[in-house]
Amino acid sequence: MSEQSGSSGVVLKYTVSPDDFTRAGEASSKVKNILKQMGISPDVIRKVSIAMYEGEINMVIHARGGDITVTITPQEILMVLKDVGPGIEDVEKAMKAGYSTAPEQVRALGFGAGMGLPNMQSCTDEMKVETEIGVGTTITMSVHIEDK
């Protein structure tokens, strides 16, 4: 993890390892703790934590890992998850609850129920999926910070 602060806000960077289910969720957990320390509302923290966790798990299962950049400003939390995986063949289908391409050994571990992308979308104010077969996928999500 790296962290930098500047006029654009706090920027956090994480690398997600492929097939490492023991460390999956570490980035979302670290971001959750940082947001708590910053005094961000529990509802925003919950949304960010769920969206990031689901994204991390997808990177571990499907994408041979990747990188996550989180930018925290007074207005929003912006999460960019970028991988070099196989890409998503049918984004519309992948956005449907219950649709999964996870292999059986992953499902046996309790993952791959097909709720990752739908949960990510339901927990964010904006979400954009850019994917190219054989190149990878970039998912950009934002959660707005309400005025206190």
Side-chain angles (χ1 to χ4, degrees):
M1 178 192 93
S2 67
E3 181 179 336
Q4 60 191 62
S5 295
S7 59
S8 61
V10 175
V11 179
L12 309 166
K13 295 183 184 250
Y14 303 92
T15 298
V16 177
S17 301
D19 299 316
D20 188 353
F21 289 95
T22 59
R23 294 187 57 216
E26 279 186 4
S28 56
S29 181
K30 288 177 182 176
V31 169
K32 178 181 180 179
N33 289 333
I34 290 168
L35 294 175
K36 281 182 181 177
Q37 291 171 1
M38 294 175 79
I40 303 294
S41 80
D43 188 52
V44 170
I45 293 171
R46 182 188 62 75
K47 290 177 184 178
V48 169
S49 298
I50 292 169
M52 262 192 73
Y53 178 79
E54 294 285 9
E56 275 183 85
I57 291 298
N58 280 352
M59 292 171 105
V60 169
I61 294 171
H62 303 287
R64 299 186 291 272
D67 295 305
I68 300 174
T69 302
V70 179
T71 305
I72 305 164
T73 68
Q75 297 78 31
E76 72 175 350
I77 297 149
L78 180 69
M79 299 158 277
V80 180
L81 292 75
K82 183 173 180 54
D83 68 55
V84 291
I88 301 170
E89 286 191 29
D90 187 336
V91 174
E92 191 175 322
K93 202 184 251 187
M95 293 300 294
K96 288 187 171 45
Y99 176 79
S100 178
T101 59
E104 194 53 45
Q105 67 267 25
V106 169
R107 291 174 189 240
L109 294 172
F111 299 100
M115 293 305 297
L117 288 173
N119 282 343
M120 291 162 70
Q121 186 169 46
S122 71
C123 287
T124 55
D125 294 304
E126 296 169 39
M127 181 170 128
K128 180 169 78 169
V129 178
E130 299 170 281
T131 189
E132 188 175 341
I133 301 303
V135 176
T137 301
T138 300
I139 298 178
T140 305
M141 304 179 287
S142 68
V143 175
H144 301 153
I145 298 174
E146 324 74 46
D147 292 330
K148 294 178 182 177

PDB file of all heavy atoms in Angstrom, residues 95-130:
ATOM      1  N   MET A  95     -23.856  -8.348 -14.857  1.00  0.00           N
ATOM      2  CA  MET A  95     -24.489  -7.438 -13.907  1.00  0.00           C
ATOM      3  C   MET A  95     -25.754  -8.028 -13.299  1.00  0.00           C
ATOM      4  O   MET A  95     -26.299  -7.477 -12.352  1.00  0.00           O
ATOM      5  CB  MET A  95     -24.833  -6.112 -14.599  1.00  0.00           C
ATOM      6  CG  MET A  95     -23.620  -5.297 -15.022  1.00  0.00           C
ATOM      7  SD  MET A  95     -22.543  -4.823 -13.664  1.00  0.00           S
ATOM      8  CE  MET A  95     -23.598  -3.715 -12.767  1.00  0.00           C
ATOM      9  N   LYS A  96     -26.209  -9.159 -13.795  1.00  0.00           N
ATOM     10  CA  LYS A  96     -27.419  -9.791 -13.264  1.00  0.00           C
ATOM     11  C   LYS A  96     -27.079 -10.610 -12.012  1.00  0.00           C
ATOM     12  O   LYS A  96     -26.159 -11.421 -12.024  1.00  0.00           O
ATOM     13  CB  LYS A  96     -28.044 -10.695 -14.318  1.00  0.00           C
ATOM     14  CG  LYS A  96     -28.710  -9.926 -15.456  1.00  0.00           C
ATOM     15  CD  LYS A  96     -29.453 -10.874 -16.362  1.00  0.00           C
ATOM     16  CE  LYS A  96     -30.321 -10.226 -17.376  1.00  0.00           C
ATOM     17  NZ  LYS A  96     -29.869  -9.132 -18.120  1.00  0.00           N
ATOM     18  N   ALA A  97     -27.846 -10.411 -10.962  1.00  0.00           N
ATOM     19  CA  ALA A  97     -27.639 -11.142  -9.711  1.00  0.00           C
ATOM     20  C   ALA A  97     -27.727 -12.646  -9.956  1.00  0.00           C
ATOM     21  O   ALA A  97     -28.649 -13.124 -10.610  1.00  0.00           O
ATOM     22  CB  ALA A  97     -28.671 -10.720  -8.677  1.00  0.00           C
ATOM     23  N   GLY A  98     -26.732 -13.358  -9.461  1.00  0.00           N
ATOM     24  CA  GLY A  98     -26.721 -14.815  -9.567  1.00  0.00           C
ATOM     25  C   GLY A  98     -25.938 -15.354 -10.746  1.00  0.00           C
ATOM     26  O   GLY A  98     -25.604 -16.535 -10.778  1.00  0.00           O
ATOM     27  N   TYR A  99     -25.599 -14.511 -11.714  1.00  0.00           N
ATOM     28  CA  TYR A  99     -24.811 -14.982 -12.862  1.00  0.00           C
ATOM     29  C   TYR A  99     -23.352 -15.053 -12.435  1.00  0.00           C
ATOM     30  O   TYR A  99     -22.797 -14.100 -11.900  1.00  0.00           O
ATOM     31  CB  TYR A  99     -24.964 -14.037 -14.060  1.00  0.00           C
ATOM     32  CG  TYR A  99     -24.093 -14.451 -15.222  1.00  0.00           C
ATOM     33  CD1 TYR A  99     -24.481 -15.488 -16.056  1.00  0.00           C
ATOM     34  CD2 TYR A  99     -22.881 -13.828 -15.458  1.00  0.00           C
ATOM     35  CE1 TYR A  99     -23.676 -15.896 -17.109  1.00  0.00           C
ATOM     36  CE2 TYR A  99     -22.072 -14.220 -16.506  1.00  0.00           C
ATOM     37  CZ  TYR A  99     -22.471 -15.252 -17.330  1.00  0.00           C
ATOM     38  OH  TYR A  99     -21.672 -15.648 -18.364  1.00  0.00           O
ATOM     39  N   SER A 100     -22.720 -16.195 -12.671  1.00  0.00           N
ATOM     40  CA  SER A 100     -21.330 -16.371 -12.252  1.00  0.00           C
ATOM     41  C   SER A 100     -20.563 -17.237 -13.238  1.00  0.00           C
ATOM     42  O   SER A 100     -21.108 -18.194 -13.787  1.00  0.00           O
ATOM     43  CB  SER A 100     -21.278 -17.039 -10.869  1.00  0.00           C
ATOM     44  OG  SER A 100     -19.936 -17.260 -10.489  1.00  0.00           O
ATOM     45  N   THR A 101     -19.311 -16.867 -13.444  1.00  0.00           N
ATOM     46  CA  THR A 101     -18.404 -17.693 -14.248  1.00  0.00           C
ATOM     47  C   THR A 101     -17.290 -18.272 -13.367  1.00  0.00           C
ATOM     48  O   THR A 101     -16.299 -18.776 -13.873  1.00  0.00           O
ATOM     49  CB  THR A 101     -17.772 -16.868 -15.396  1.00  0.00           C
ATOM     50  OG1 THR A 101     -17.055 -15.759 -14.828  1.00  0.00           O
ATOM     51  CG2 THR A 101     -18.839 -16.372 -16.370  1.00  0.00           C
ATOM     52  N   ALA A 102     -17.481 -18.199 -12.059  1.00  0.00           N
ATOM     53  CA  ALA A 102     -16.468 -18.715 -11.130  1.00  0.00           C
ATOM     54  C   ALA A 102     -16.346 -20.232 -11.271  1.00  0.00           C
ATOM     55  O   ALA A 102     -17.360 -20.932 -11.378  1.00  0.00           O
ATOM     56  CB  ALA A 102     -16.827 -18.362  -9.695  1.00  0.00           C
ATOM     57  N   PRO A 103     -15.110 -20.747 -11.252  1.00  0.00           N
ATOM     58  CA  PRO A 103     -14.930 -22.199 -11.321  1.00  0.00           C
ATOM     59  C   PRO A 103     -15.447 -22.900 -10.065  1.00  0.00           C
ATOM     60  O   PRO A 103     -15.588 -22.285  -9.003  1.00  0.00           O
ATOM     61  CB  PRO A 103     -13.420 -22.368 -11.465  1.00  0.00           C
ATOM     62  CG  PRO A 103     -12.798 -21.062 -11.165  1.00  0.00           C
ATOM     63  CD  PRO A 103     -13.857 -20.008 -11.227  1.00  0.00           C
ATOM     64  N   GLU A 104     -15.720 -24.178 -10.196  1.00  0.00           N
ATOM     65  CA  GLU A 104     -16.304 -24.964  -9.098  1.00  0.00           C
ATOM     66  C   GLU A 104     -15.442 -24.936  -7.830  1.00  0.00           C
ATOM     67  O   GLU A 104     -15.979 -24.859  -6.728  1.00  0.00           O
ATOM     68  CB  GLU A 104     -16.539 -26.410  -9.551  1.00  0.00           C
ATOM     69  CG  GLU A 104     -17.426 -27.194  -8.611  1.00  0.00           C
ATOM     70  CD  GLU A 104     -18.770 -26.521  -8.307  1.00  0.00           C
ATOM     71  OE1 GLU A 104     -19.428 -26.026  -9.236  1.00  0.00           O
ATOM     72  OE2 GLU A 104     -19.147 -26.470  -7.122  1.00  0.00           O
ATOM     73  N   GLN A 105     -14.107 -24.982  -7.967  1.00  0.00           N
ATOM     74  CA  GLN A 105     -13.252 -24.979  -6.771  1.00  0.00           C
ATOM     75  C   GLN A 105     -13.372 -23.660  -6.007  1.00  0.00           C
ATOM     76  O   GLN A 105     -13.244 -23.629  -4.786  1.00  0.00           O
ATOM     77  CB  GLN A 105     -11.786 -25.295  -7.108  1.00  0.00           C
ATOM     78  CG  GLN A 105     -11.060 -24.257  -7.939  1.00  0.00           C
ATOM     79  CD  GLN A 105     -11.115 -24.518  -9.424  1.00  0.00           C
ATOM     80  OE1 GLN A 105     -12.021 -25.167  -9.923  1.00  0.00           O
ATOM     81  NE2 GLN A 105     -10.134 -24.008 -10.152  1.00  0.00           N
ATOM     82  N   VAL A 106     -13.676 -22.567  -6.699  1.00  0.00           N
ATOM     83  CA  VAL A 106     -13.886 -21.277  -6.035  1.00  0.00           C
ATOM     84  C   VAL A 106     -15.239 -21.278  -5.329  1.00  0.00           C
ATOM     85  O   VAL A 106     -15.368 -20.822  -4.196  1.00  0.00           O
ATOM     86  CB  VAL A 106     -13.788 -20.122  -7.058  1.00  0.00           C
ATOM     87  CG1 VAL A 106     -14.257 -18.814  -6.452  1.00  0.00           C
ATOM     88  CG2 VAL A 106     -12.363 -19.997  -7.576  1.00  0.00           C
ATOM     89  N   ARG A 107     -16.251 -21.836  -5.969  1.00  0.00           N
ATOM     90  CA  ARG A 107     -17.575 -21.921  -5.351  1.00  0.00           C
ATOM     91  C   ARG A 107     -17.528 -22.797  -4.101  1.00  0.00           C
ATOM     92  O   ARG A 107     -18.219 -22.529  -3.119  1.00  0.00           O
ATOM     93  CB  ARG A 107     -18.591 -22.475  -6.339  1.00  0.00           C
ATOM     94  CG  ARG A 107     -18.889 -21.513  -7.470  1.00  0.00           C
ATOM     95  CD  ARG A 107     -19.784 -22.193  -8.479  1.00  0.00           C
ATOM     96  NE  ARG A 107     -19.919 -21.399  -9.668  1.00  0.00           N
ATOM     97  CZ  ARG A 107     -21.068 -20.938 -10.128  1.00  0.00           C
ATOM     98  NH1 ARG A 107     -22.195 -21.189  -9.494  1.00  0.00           N
ATOM     99  NH2 ARG A 107     -21.107 -20.223 -11.213  1.00  0.00           N
ATOM    100  N   ALA A 108     -16.703 -23.836  -4.128  1.00  0.00           N
ATOM    101  CA  ALA A 108     -16.555 -24.720  -2.974  1.00  0.00           C
ATOM    102  C   ALA A 108     -15.987 -23.974  -1.764  1.00  0.00           C
ATOM    103  O   ALA A 108     -16.223 -24.356  -0.624  1.00  0.00           O
ATOM    104  CB  ALA A 108     -15.672 -25.908  -3.325  1.00  0.00           C
ATOM    105  N   LEU A 109     -15.256 -22.876  -2.033  1.00  0.00           N
ATOM    106  CA  LEU A 109     -14.702 -22.048  -0.950  1.00  0.00           C
ATOM    107  C   LEU A 109     -15.734 -21.037  -0.431  1.00  0.00           C
ATOM    108  O   LEU A 109     -15.458 -20.299   0.503  1.00  0.00           O
ATOM    109  CB  LEU A 109     -13.464 -21.292  -1.444  1.00  0.00           C
ATOM    110  CG  LEU A 109     -12.249 -22.131  -1.817  1.00  0.00           C
ATOM    111  CD1 LEU A 109     -11.181 -21.262  -2.469  1.00  0.00           C
ATOM    112  CD2 LEU A 109     -11.681 -22.826  -0.583  1.00  0.00           C
ATOM    113  N   GLY A 110     -16.904 -20.983  -1.058  1.00  0.00           N
ATOM    114  CA  GLY A 110     -17.944 -20.065  -0.621  1.00  0.00           C
ATOM    115  C   GLY A 110     -17.977 -18.760  -1.400  1.00  0.00           C
ATOM    116  O   GLY A 110     -18.692 -17.825  -1.029  1.00  0.00           O
ATOM    117  N   PHE A 111     -17.219 -18.672  -2.475  1.00  0.00           N
ATOM    118  CA  PHE A 111     -17.200 -17.474  -3.312  1.00  0.00           C
ATOM    119  C   PHE A 111     -17.875 -17.786  -4.642  1.00  0.00           C
ATOM    120  O   PHE A 111     -18.199 -18.916  -4.940  1.00  0.00           O
ATOM    121  CB  PHE A 111     -15.751 -17.022  -3.568  1.00  0.00           C
ATOM    122  CG  PHE A 111     -14.999 -16.670  -2.320  1.00  0.00           C
ATOM    123  CD1 PHE A 111     -14.111 -17.574  -1.750  1.00  0.00           C
ATOM    124  CD2 PHE A 111     -15.164 -15.433  -1.711  1.00  0.00           C
ATOM    125  CE1 PHE A 111     -13.411 -17.260  -0.597  1.00  0.00           C
ATOM    126  CE2 PHE A 111     -14.470 -15.109  -0.562  1.00  0.00           C
ATOM    127  CZ  PHE A 111     -13.589 -16.017  -0.009  1.00  0.00           C
ATOM    128  N   GLY A 112     -18.050 -16.750  -5.478  1.00  0.00           N
ATOM    129  CA  GLY A 112     -18.551 -16.975  -6.826  1.00  0.00           C
ATOM    130  C   GLY A 112     -20.049 -17.158  -6.931  1.00  0.00           C
ATOM    131  O   GLY A 112     -20.529 -17.861  -7.811  1.00  0.00           O
ATOM    132  N   ALA A 113     -20.814 -16.486  -6.080  1.00  0.00           N
ATOM    133  CA  ALA A 113     -22.276 -16.618  -6.115  1.00  0.00           C
ATOM    134  C   ALA A 113     -22.930 -15.707  -7.154  1.00  0.00           C
ATOM    135  O   ALA A 113     -24.142 -15.714  -7.306  1.00  0.00           O
ATOM    136  CB  ALA A 113     -22.862 -16.318  -4.737  1.00  0.00           C
ATOM    137  N   GLY A 114     -22.120 -14.910  -7.840  1.00  0.00           N
ATOM    138  CA  GLY A 114     -22.669 -14.040  -8.869  1.00  0.00           C
ATOM    139  C   GLY A 114     -23.284 -12.759  -8.337  1.00  0.00           C
ATOM    140  O   GLY A 114     -24.140 -12.157  -8.977  1.00  0.00           O
ATOM    141  N   MET A 115     -22.822 -12.312  -7.177  1.00  0.00           N
ATOM    142  CA  MET A 115     -23.362 -11.085  -6.595  1.00  0.00           C
ATOM    143  C   MET A 115     -22.353  -9.941  -6.588  1.00  0.00           C
ATOM    144  O   MET A 115     -22.674  -8.835  -6.159  1.00  0.00           O
ATOM    145  CB  MET A 115     -23.842 -11.359  -5.162  1.00  0.00           C
ATOM    146  CG  MET A 115     -25.041 -12.286  -5.088  1.00  0.00           C
ATOM    147  SD  MET A 115     -26.449 -11.743  -6.067  1.00  0.00           S
ATOM    148  CE  MET A 115     -26.851 -10.195  -5.285  1.00  0.00           C
ATOM    149  N   GLY A 116     -21.129 -10.185  -7.056  1.00  0.00           N
ATOM    150  CA  GLY A 116     -20.070  -9.176  -6.997  1.00  0.00           C
ATOM    151  C   GLY A 116     -20.432  -7.873  -7.691  1.00  0.00           C
ATOM    152  O   GLY A 116     -20.543  -6.821  -7.048  1.00  0.00           O
ATOM    153  N   LEU A 117     -20.617  -7.907  -9.000  1.00  0.00           N
ATOM    154  CA  LEU A 117     -20.931  -6.682  -9.738  1.00  0.00           C
ATOM    155  C   LEU A 117     -22.259  -6.062  -9.313  1.00  0.00           C
ATOM    156  O   LEU A 117     -22.329  -4.845  -9.119  1.00  0.00           O
ATOM    157  CB  LEU A 117     -20.889  -6.931 -11.251  1.00  0.00           C
ATOM    158  CG  LEU A 117     -19.483  -7.139 -11.838  1.00  0.00           C
ATOM    159  CD1 LEU A 117     -19.567  -7.557 -13.301  1.00  0.00           C
ATOM    160  CD2 LEU A 117     -18.635  -5.891 -11.689  1.00  0.00           C
ATOM    161  N   PRO A 118     -23.338  -6.870  -9.119  1.00  0.00           N
ATOM    162  CA  PRO A 118     -24.585  -6.250  -8.643  1.00  0.00           C
ATOM    163  C   PRO A 118     -24.424  -5.557  -7.284  1.00  0.00           C
ATOM    164  O   PRO A 118     -24.955  -4.463  -7.081  1.00  0.00           O
ATOM    165  CB  PRO A 118     -25.559  -7.427  -8.550  1.00  0.00           C
ATOM    166  CG  PRO A 118     -25.046  -8.426  -9.525  1.00  0.00           C
ATOM    167  CD  PRO A 118     -23.548  -8.285  -9.478  1.00  0.00           C
ATOM    168  N   ASN A 119     -23.678  -6.158  -6.366  1.00  0.00           N
ATOM    169  CA  ASN A 119     -23.450  -5.525  -5.062  1.00  0.00           C
ATOM    170  C   ASN A 119     -22.624  -4.254  -5.211  1.00  0.00           C
ATOM    171  O   ASN A 119     -22.878  -3.255  -4.530  1.00  0.00           O
ATOM    172  CB  ASN A 119     -22.758  -6.483  -4.093  1.00  0.00           C
ATOM    173  CG  ASN A 119     -23.701  -7.484  -3.493  1.00  0.00           C
ATOM    174  OD1 ASN A 119     -24.918  -7.308  -3.523  1.00  0.00           O
ATOM    175  ND2 ASN A 119     -23.158  -8.565  -2.963  1.00  0.00           N
ATOM    176  N   MET A 120     -21.616  -4.305  -6.090  1.00  0.00           N
ATOM    177  CA  MET A 120     -20.787  -3.122  -6.312  1.00  0.00           C
ATOM    178  C   MET A 120     -21.656  -1.971  -6.827  1.00  0.00           C
ATOM    179  O   MET A 120     -21.555  -0.850  -6.352  1.00  0.00           O
ATOM    180  CB  MET A 120     -19.659  -3.444  -7.301  1.00  0.00           C
ATOM    181  CG  MET A 120     -18.625  -4.394  -6.724  1.00  0.00           C
ATOM    182  SD  MET A 120     -17.585  -5.197  -7.968  1.00  0.00           S
ATOM    183  CE  MET A 120     -16.601  -3.831  -8.545  1.00  0.00           C
ATOM    184  N   GLN A 121     -22.522  -2.262  -7.775  1.00  0.00           N
ATOM    185  CA  GLN A 121     -23.370  -1.227  -8.344  1.00  0.00           C
ATOM    186  C   GLN A 121     -24.364  -0.682  -7.317  1.00  0.00           C
ATOM    187  O   GLN A 121     -24.585   0.525  -7.239  1.00  0.00           O
ATOM    188  CB  GLN A 121     -24.108  -1.738  -9.569  1.00  0.00           C
ATOM    189  CG  GLN A 121     -24.885  -0.632 -10.271  1.00  0.00           C
ATOM    190  CD  GLN A 121     -25.400  -1.059 -11.616  1.00  0.00           C
ATOM    191  OE1 GLN A 121     -25.950  -2.147 -11.751  1.00  0.00           O
ATOM    192  NE2 GLN A 121     -25.228  -0.215 -12.605  1.00  0.00           N
ATOM    193  N   SER A 122     -24.944  -1.575  -6.509  1.00  0.00           N
ATOM    194  CA  SER A 122     -25.954  -1.116  -5.546  1.00  0.00           C
ATOM    195  C   SER A 122     -25.346  -0.296  -4.409  1.00  0.00           C
ATOM    196  O   SER A 122     -26.058   0.473  -3.762  1.00  0.00           O
ATOM    197  CB  SER A 122     -26.743  -2.296  -4.992  1.00  0.00           C
ATOM    198  OG  SER A 122     -25.943  -3.070  -4.130  1.00  0.00           O
ATOM    199  N   CYS A 123     -24.055  -0.433  -4.164  1.00  0.00           N
ATOM    200  CA  CYS A 123     -23.407   0.290  -3.064  1.00  0.00           C
ATOM    201  C   CYS A 123     -22.703   1.571  -3.511  1.00  0.00           C
ATOM    202  O   CYS A 123     -22.087   2.244  -2.683  1.00  0.00           O
ATOM    203  CB  CYS A 123     -22.397  -0.620  -2.362  1.00  0.00           C
ATOM    204  SG  CYS A 123     -23.187  -1.892  -1.369  1.00  0.00           S
ATOM    205  N   THR A 124     -22.763   1.883  -4.802  1.00  0.00           N
ATOM    206  CA  THR A 124     -22.061   3.064  -5.286  1.00  0.00           C
ATOM    207  C   THR A 124     -23.044   4.041  -5.927  1.00  0.00           C
ATOM    208  O   THR A 124     -24.129   3.663  -6.355  1.00  0.00           O
ATOM    209  CB  THR A 124     -20.973   2.676  -6.310  1.00  0.00           C
ATOM    210  OG1 THR A 124     -21.561   1.920  -7.372  1.00  0.00           O
ATOM    211  CG2 THR A 124     -19.873   1.852  -5.654  1.00  0.00           C
ATOM    212  N   ASP A 125     -22.649   5.288  -5.961  1.00  0.00           N
ATOM    213  CA  ASP A 125     -23.468   6.309  -6.610  1.00  0.00           C
ATOM    214  C   ASP A 125     -23.239   6.307  -8.115  1.00  0.00           C
ATOM    215  O   ASP A 125     -24.130   6.647  -8.878  1.00  0.00           O
ATOM    216  CB  ASP A 125     -23.161   7.692  -6.014  1.00  0.00           C
ATOM    217  CG  ASP A 125     -23.588   7.774  -4.564  1.00  0.00           C
ATOM    218  OD1 ASP A 125     -24.777   7.520  -4.279  1.00  0.00           O
ATOM    219  OD2 ASP A 125     -22.732   8.061  -3.700  1.00  0.00           O
ATOM    220  N   GLU A 126     -22.037   5.944  -8.521  1.00  0.00           N
ATOM    221  CA  GLU A 126     -21.706   5.837  -9.941  1.00  0.00           C
ATOM    222  C   GLU A 126     -20.762   4.660 -10.116  1.00  0.00           C
ATOM    223  O   GLU A 126     -19.888   4.430  -9.287  1.00  0.00           O
ATOM    224  CB  GLU A 126     -21.025   7.114 -10.441  1.00  0.00           C
ATOM    225  CG  GLU A 126     -21.901   8.347 -10.376  1.00  0.00           C
ATOM    226  CD  GLU A 126     -21.123   9.626 -10.614  1.00  0.00           C
ATOM    227  OE1 GLU A 126     -20.219   9.628 -11.475  1.00  0.00           O
ATOM    228  OE2 GLU A 126     -21.413  10.614  -9.922  1.00  0.00           O
ATOM    229  N   MET A 127     -20.959   3.928 -11.229  1.00  0.00           N
ATOM    230  CA  MET A 127     -20.070   2.803 -11.525  1.00  0.00           C
ATOM    231  C   MET A 127     -19.959   2.658 -13.036  1.00  0.00           C
ATOM    232  O   MET A 127     -20.964   2.677 -13.741  1.00  0.00           O
ATOM    233  CB  MET A 127     -20.591   1.508 -10.917  1.00  0.00           C
ATOM    234  CG  MET A 127     -19.678   0.315 -11.170  1.00  0.00           C
ATOM    235  SD  MET A 127     -20.205  -1.110 -10.192  1.00  0.00           S
ATOM    236  CE  MET A 127     -20.314  -2.338 -11.469  1.00  0.00           C
ATOM    237  N   LYS A 128     -18.732   2.522 -13.509  1.00  0.00           N
ATOM    238  CA  LYS A 128     -18.484   2.356 -14.937  1.00  0.00           C
ATOM    239  C   LYS A 128     -17.570   1.143 -15.117  1.00  0.00           C
ATOM    240  O   LYS A 128     -16.569   1.006 -14.415  1.00  0.00           O
ATOM    241  CB  LYS A 128     -17.825   3.608 -15.511  1.00  0.00           C
ATOM    242  CG  LYS A 128     -17.520   3.521 -17.003  1.00  0.00           C
ATOM    243  CD  LYS A 128     -17.125   4.863 -17.582  1.00  0.00           C
ATOM    244  CE  LYS A 128     -15.706   5.174 -17.238  1.00  0.00           C
ATOM    245  NZ  LYS A 128     -15.147   6.333 -17.951  1.00  0.00           N
ATOM    246  N   VAL A 129     -17.949   0.257 -16.038  1.00  0.00           N
ATOM    247  CA  VAL A 129     -17.156  -0.933 -16.339  1.00  0.00           C
ATOM    248  C   VAL A 129     -16.605  -0.784 -17.746  1.00  0.00           C
ATOM    249  O   VAL A 129     -17.356  -0.647 -18.706  1.00  0.00           O
ATOM    250  CB  VAL A 129     -18.016  -2.219 -16.252  1.00  0.00           C
ATOM    251  CG1 VAL A 129     -17.188  -3.450 -16.604  1.00  0.00           C
ATOM    252  CG2 VAL A 129     -18.635  -2.366 -14.866  1.00  0.00           C
ATOM    253  N   GLU A 130     -15.277  -0.800 -17.849  1.00  0.00           N
ATOM    254  CA  GLU A 130     -14.608  -0.787 -19.147  1.00  0.00           C
ATOM    255  C   GLU A 130     -13.832  -2.089 -19.256  1.00  0.00           C
ATOM    256  O   GLU A 130     -13.007  -2.380 -18.391  1.00  0.00           O
ATOM    257  CB  GLU A 130     -13.659   0.403 -19.253  1.00  0.00           C
ATOM    258  CG  GLU A 130     -14.342   1.748 -19.127  1.00  0.00           C
ATOM    259  CD  GLU A 130     -13.347   2.879 -18.985  1.00  0.00           C
ATOM    260  OE1 GLU A 130     -12.824   3.065 -17.874  1.00  0.00           O
ATOM    261  OE2 GLU A 130     -13.098   3.546 -20.003  1.00  0.00           O
TER     262      GLU A 130
END
